[in-house]
Amino acid sequence: MKKSSESQDLLRALPSVDRLLQHPVLAALSKSIPHATLVRAARSVLEEQRQHIRLGKTAQSEQALAEAIWEQATQAAQPHLTSAVNATGIILSTNLGRAALPESAVQAILTIARGHCTLEVDRETGRRGSRQTGVRHLLMELTGAEDALVVNNNAAAVYLTIHTLAAGREVIISRGQLVEIGGAFRMPDIIRQAGAILIEVGTTNRTRLSDYENAIGPGTALILRCHPSNFKIVGFTEEAPLPDLAALARQHELPLVDDVGSGCLLDTSSLGLPHEPSLTESLQAGSDLVMGSGDKLLGGPQAGLLIGRADLIARLRRSPLMRVLRPGKLTLSALEAVLRLYLDTETALQQIPTWRYLLRDLPTLKRLAQQLQRRLKSSIPPKTGWQFQVIPTHAEIGGGSLPGETLPSFGVLIHLSAMSAEDLARALRQGEPAIFSRLEGSGVLLDMRTIEPHEISLITGCLKTLCDEHASQKV
Ligand SMILES: *Cc1c(COP(=O)(O)O)cnc(C)c1O
């Protein structure tokens, strides 16, 4: 009884929202953070406090409540989407936004974002034009395709194709290619959702041309091929070669549609990398329609690229779905800038970050790692108990490209006695900027493959701050 009346008193004694917001701790914040955000934080802190009191716990001081509001409001005012340092060594990580854009694409986005633009206007006549003209001509020139179309992403490209060319009819695909990519893209689900009937042929590890041939019937709309881009079946395997499949499709007057995944425009084997199917290569092998992502090995913004036969692309372009799946002006401006770089392969390799990361040589990576190690050692002396070691490691390509392939790399391994590797990795993620690392044994690894030279100072600064904070907490 007594206890409950005590807590009634405590509840009544709680300060009001207005009074808390007057607290000196929050004075500076009220200029930079919207009033509504502060009020929401204050209400939530007070509610928490009431629950504490009802559970019989002691009430916190007004100072402590104001500090809690400060914490919550500052958190809430931060943008959810913020830039990150990718020290994971995974070149194309969907979690970290896949491809970093080249400078020319960044400039294009800034220019277009700031004001009005020529999105859908023909400058000659002043009449309505197509938003796709720029990217369409570049894709045609770069791949030799009859026509091209760009949609929101590659999943949209697959969906639009199946829906337009195969709804109510059958799509033949090898069992070895019924992939799931990034959790949410499942080929069988997309095919069904797009209204087609899935006809699986062959087995997980072996599909022969005759398997396709036997499945073709009056209900067949097209043959679909999908590059299993995030896994590798090794051992006793067989897939019908693309030219043979193309000949079979032609013989039955069926379109052969190929989802190559990465949207690659270059021959990766000639660059000393493992082979990855390119848009051009698939077209040349006889595919009628080829699709890929804009933000994987192409190194551009999120987009779905479709190239191929003019009559098929024309049908896709006329679909009402096109209005649903069309890319926005910022995407188109960045994609056009990226495609333009490919007009000269050397320029593309030098300016597109994805290719720079892929092709960074070991001496460069080692030099970068030593540079980072030197900077860290001079900012964080050994007496702190933090240790920095340069080690050889392996970076991943990721993002549904070059499955199972890793590239040799160098990194800085951080060991510290007073904090677990997990805690350090979490603190780095929550810092400013957010740094994403990799756990390696009992340490935290910063892989140099995907770190820009100018990020070395940022990383050093973050780690120094963490080390200082940690030291002051221990005292
Ligand atoms: C990545 C990938 C997709 C999905 O592409 P998004 O651009 O992420 O929509 C589809 N098919 C294959 C083979 C892929 O590798």
Side-chain angles (χ1 to χ4, degrees), residues 251-295:
Q251 189 190 326
H252 292 270
E253 293 183 10
L254 294 170
L256 173 62
V257 175
D258 189 13
D259 173 9
V260 294
S262 85
C264 189
L265 284 176
L266 303 176
D267 173 11
T268 51
S269 14
S270 75
L271 297 168
L273 295 166
H275 175 257
E276 174 77 11
S278 76
L279 292 168
T280 322
E281 177 189 323
S282 174
L283 198 67
Q284 283 168 358
S287 298
D288 296 291
L289 209 52
V290 190
M291 58 207 46
S293 291
D295 53 357

Side-chain angles (χ1 to χ4, degrees), residues 98 153-155 181 185 226-227 229 259-261 293 295-296 303 400:
R98 291 197 189 156
N153 57 9
N154 192 25
I181 288 150
F185 180 92
C226 175
H227 177 51
S229 56
D259 173 9
V260 294
S293 291
D295 53 357
K296 292 183 181 171

